Amino acid sequence: MLEDTMNTIWSTYVQKIGTLYDTRSLRFSDIYKDKYLEAFKIEDRSNLKLLEIGCGPGALAESLRRWYPNISIYAIDRDSNFINYASKKSSSIYFSEGDATRLKFDNNSLDVTISNTVAEHIEPSKFYGEQYRVLKKNGVCLVLSARNGINIYSQCVIEQSEFEKQIWERVENYFYDIEKKYDICLYQQNESEIPLNMEKNGFKNVSTEYITINLTPDNPIYSRETAYAMINANRQVNIDNINGLSYIAPNIVDESEIEELKRLVNKKYDYRLALYDKGIKLWDTNVSVTMIIRGVK
């Protein structure tokens, strides 16, 4: 599935750097550190080697670096743009381009493998088989999988002008074509199938945990900085989707239309921030549910 040659398919057509980095930085914020550490159950020892598979632009790897300062952390992704971005942000993590089905690590050489929203894109026997090969005896395989959560957007950001409606109707089918072309979520599994596949491919003591992350900017437990980050992460997702139109639907939307779409989106999110600053609560929310499957070789 993955190629050793330069590959920028994912960052060009599927999810851009800003979208992945901003949203994952929130989900793997130090605010939720204790939840993850309890679920991962790995030791912070200097002789341990951990590999993140499908690291994207590096948000999870950066959190792991903070949470486990003594572990050697390696991170791979097939997308060159992600690796270039991640490498520039952190010099203490060994980022490199790599193939999840042909890992460039020796047999029995790693203590931990971890992946986030990767299993659904790779045939299970190849996905787990390679991790089983490179893990030492009693090594830990951690698979993080996004489950159905809650997404409620404020009315001020979801209202669309006739101009916006016409553009998005014009390009709607192109997004479905991209998913089919690049086999996105081709191996989607439910909550029972993921641990069953891990067991089927040799792992023992398989366990599951669910972590709920409540991203509600109006929740008073969050600082202004964190609330802003939540709102602006949604803004970034919207802007990235618009910027991707020139690749996903070439010649269907022109540059002037793209710029107008971005202007309208920024206006909406600026207004959302202004309402927050005035203390006007809208209670828009993004509640993400992450399933963590843990197995031992």
Side-chain angles (χ1 to χ4, degrees):
M1 178 177 177
L2 308 180
E3 298 297 333
D4 291 331
T5 56
M6 183 173 180
N7 186 328
T8 59
I9 289 172
W10 201 271
S11 60
T12 301
Y13 298 104
V14 185
Q15 291 174 305
K16 294 191 177 295
I17 288 172
T19 288
L20 276 183
Y21 189 82
D22 289 358
T23 56
R24 290 184 178 182
S25 292
L26 284 169
R27 291 193 194 99
F28 299 114
S29 165
D30 290 346
I31 297 170
Y32 314 112
K33 172 183 175 180
D34 291 343
K35 290 184 177 183
Y36 287 110
L37 295 190
E38 183 178 353
F40 292 166
K41 294 182 177 64
I42 56 179
E43 298 180 75
D44 183 27
R45 291 192 283 109
S46 59
N47 62 335
L48 259 63
K49 293 182 179 180
L50 177 151
L51 169 67
E52 184 188 358
I53 297 168
C55 64
L60 173 56
E62 289 180 12
S63 294
L64 293 170
R65 174 77 292 155
R66 294 192 303 273
W67 301 344
Y68 301 101
N70 295 307
I71 289 179
S72 295
I73 296 179
Y74 301 81
I76 65 166
D77 199 282
R78 63 177 178 175
D79 193 293
S80 308
N81 287 336
F82 290 155
I83 293 301
N84 290 338
Y85 179 87
S87 298
K88 292 175 182 176
K89 287 189 65 64
S90 178
S91 60
S92 61
I93 301 168
Y94 305 102
F95 288 105
S96 63
E97 293 179 43
D99 181 337
T101 65
R102 297 192 299 273
L103 295 173
K104 297 178 180 178
F105 291 86
D106 293 335
N107 295 349
N108 310 305
S109 61
L110 299 174
D111 299 281
V112 182
T113 56
I114 186 170
S115 61
N116 176 47
T117 63
V118 177
E120 58 265 39
H121 307 298
I122 303 174
E123 194 278 321
S125 65
K126 294 179 180 178
F127 176 71
Y128 290 109
E130 269 297 89
Q131 292 180 72
Y132 194 90
R133 178 184 68 78
V134 300
L135 282 168
K136 299 175 184 176
K137 184 179 180 180
N138 296 320
V140 174
C141 174
L142 295 166
V143 174
L144 280 60
S145 177
R147 301 287 97 185
N148 290 332
I150 301 170
N151 289 286
I152 305 296
Y153 296 97
S154 62
Q155 194 63 30
C156 68
V157 301
I158 64 173
E159 285 184 347
Q160 290 186 334
S161 64
E162 283 304 313
F163 169 78
E164 291 172 289
K165 291 177 182 177
Q166 290 175 12
I167 295 292
W168 290 114
E169 287 174 2
R170 198 190 308 169
V171 302
E172 182 178 8
N173 291 334
Y174 288 84
F175 286 92
Y176 296 119
D177 292 342
I178 289 294
E179 291 184 4
K180 292 178 182 177
K181 183 176 181 179
Y182 296 115
D183 294 335
I184 297 171
C185 292
L186 187 62
Y187 300 98
Q188 187 73 47
Q189 302 159 55
N190 65 31
E191 288 80 359
S192 66
E193 289 170 332
I194 305 175
L196 283 171
N197 268 306
M198 185 179 278
E199 289 177 330
K200 182 180 178 181
N201 285 279
F203 289 95
K204 60 185 181 181
N205 300 329
V206 174
S207 62
T208 63
E209 185 59 77
Y210 293 85
I211 293 181
T212 301
I213 304 299
N214 175 10
L215 302 177
T216 305
D218 288 328
N219 192 329
I221 68 171
Y222 294 120
S223 66
R224 180 177 183 272
E225 179 184 12
T226 301
Y228 261 53
M230 293 177 187
I231 294 169
N232 282 325
N234 287 328
R235 181 205 300 258
Q236 187 64 54
V237 171
N238 278 266
I239 293 297
D240 281 347
N241 283 338
I242 294 168
N243 283 329
L245 292 178
S246 58
Y247 297 98
I248 293 170
N251 305 317
I252 304 301
V253 183
D254 64 38
E255 288 302 316
S256 65
E257 290 173 318
I258 287 175
E259 290 304 312
E260 177 61 9
L261 283 175
K262 289 194 290 185
R263 185 190 71 80
L264 292 170
V265 164
N266 281 319
K267 181 179 179 181
K268 294 175 190 178
Y269 280 94
D270 287 345
Y271 182 58
R272 175 65 185 94
L273 292 175
L275 292 178
Y276 174 85
D277 285 335
K278 290 178 181 178
I280 300 174
K281 296 193 173 187
L282 304 181
W283 294 106
D284 43 331
T285 188
N286 179 300
V287 180
S288 70
V289 179
T290 299
M291 180 182 184
I292 300 177
I293 307 92
R294 185 184 189 275
V296 179
K297 178 175 175 179

